[in-house]
Every structure is written in C-alpha cells, then in structure tokens.
Amino acid sequence: MPVKEIIKVWDSGSIIKENVKFLMTPTKDVTFPMTNNVGTIINDLIDTYQKITCAGIAANQIGYNKNIFIGKKYDEDENDDFQIYINPIIDKVSEDSLQTGPEGCLSIPDLSLNIERYDKISVRWYDQKGRKKTDKASGFISRLFQHEIEHLNGKLMIGGRIHSG
C-alpha cells in the first residue's frame, strides 16, 4: 500500500481552503463487517504512520472520510507499537485532571501550541474485527486520543482552548 500525503491547511503561507473544508467535515462511522475499502484505509494509515515521524494520524488527514485513527499505544514506545482505533469515543473525562502541554499537528505544519486537555479519560473503540475495546488513558496517550478524535470530529487544534503559541 502507498504512503499517503498528509492533507495540510496551508502551503508556503497560503491557506488551502478545500483542505480546510475537508478537514473540518466530521468523518463517518465504520460499519461491520468492514468493507475492503476500510481495509485499504487501515493499510494506508499503517504504511503512512510507519514512514512519518508522528504519534498518530486520523484517516481524514490522508484523504479518507472515515472514523479511524492510528496512534501510539504507550507513552514510552517509539512508533513500533501502534493501535488502530475505529469509531473511537471518549466515554468519561476526569474534570479535575487537566494538563497543558505543547502540541503539533501534521496538517498544520510549523506550528506548536500549548493546549489544555484532560489528563484522565475513559475511551472506547472497535478493533479491526469489530470487537469493542475499552481502556483508560492518561498523560501523553490521553492527549493523543483527544487530538485525533477532534480531527475525526472535524475540529482543528487552532480552534480549541489555546494558552500560548
């Protein structure tokens, strides 16, 4: 499968309106059993993730309007141990557990912002066989999960709670 190009909001300082419109369109849920097309999307996510230095990629960042992202499983690992998250949802947040930290985004190159996120969350998603998975996330993985779900919901990090650039 090919490594896909990341859809970016700007290039050489100029905003690419059609890319912004696409990235701000909420993705569609995956139904099971998965189609061959969804299998292709997952393979493209894996191939792209393994070639680009990053913590995660949402399907819409590589041109697909499906509710899937790939991301690191653990804070400490390199990019070798990843997870495919299909139809991911944050079920619960710990309101009193906030973290503020720097975030970058493949779709918004050359920009890093300090963004406030929940530190402790409960999450749910489906694996490639349609099995429901649940877990608790904190630290970097919590931040990653929230960032990628925002992508899938059509939100960009430049529209959230920003503290400083």
Side-chain angles (χ1 to χ4, degrees):
M1 292 292 147
V3 173
K4 302 295 265 184
E5 187 173 328
I6 299 295
I7 294 177
K8 297 181 176 131
V9 299
W10 55 59
D11 185 33
S12 302
S14 298
I15 299 228
I16 306 168
K17 290 180 184 177
E18 59 271 10
N19 288 3
V20 171
K21 182 178 178 183
F22 180 77
L23 289 169
M24 293 185 76
T25 302
T27 58
K28 295 181 170 135
D29 280 347
V30 173
T31 56
F32 292 95
M34 287 188 335
T35 63
N36 289 339
N37 183 50
V38 172
T40 298
I41 294 167
I42 290 169
N43 288 333
D44 287 352
L45 278 167
I46 292 169
D47 290 345
T48 305
Y49 178 82
Q50 291 177 327
K51 295 292 182 199
I52 295 176
T53 303
C54 67
I57 304 171
N60 55 347
Q61 288 183 279
I62 60 170
Y64 298 110
N65 190 17
K66 285 293 183 185
N67 195 359
I68 309 169
F69 81 87
I70 186 171
K72 293 173 83 166
K73 275 179 135 176
Y74 310 106
D75 286 356
E76 310 82 36
D77 72 8
E78 295 301 315
N79 285 13
D80 299 333
D81 206 3
F82 59 84
Q83 177 73 46
I84 299 292
Y85 300 92
I86 301 172
N87 300 338
I89 294 173
I90 297 172
D91 283 324
K92 184 178 177 188
V93 299
S94 179
E95 297 279 345
D96 60 347
S97 71
L98 294 175
Q99 58 171 309
T100 300
E103 273 184 46
C105 180
L106 296 172
S107 291
I108 308 172
D110 305 319
L111 182 67
S112 179
L113 301 171
N114 285 321
I115 298 179
E116 185 175 75
R117 300 234 185 241
Y118 296 107
D119 186 46
K120 296 176 184 167
I121 61 175
S122 297
V123 297
R124 165 173 41 122
W125 72 93
Y126 293 89
D127 69 12
Q128 295 174 53
K129 294 184 178 177
R131 295 178 297 211
K132 183 172 142 180
K133 303 289 187 175
T134 60
D135 204 356
K136 295 187 185 312
S138 62
F140 180 78
I141 298 303
S142 172
R143 176 176 293 285
L144 169 68
F145 210 91
Q146 291 168 79
H147 180 99
E148 298 305 334
I149 282 184
E150 283 183 355
H151 268 299
L152 298 172
N153 289 335
K155 297 178 181 172
L156 297 170
M157 71 177 201
I158 54 179
R161 293 176 282 180
I162 301 166
H163 291 277
S164 62

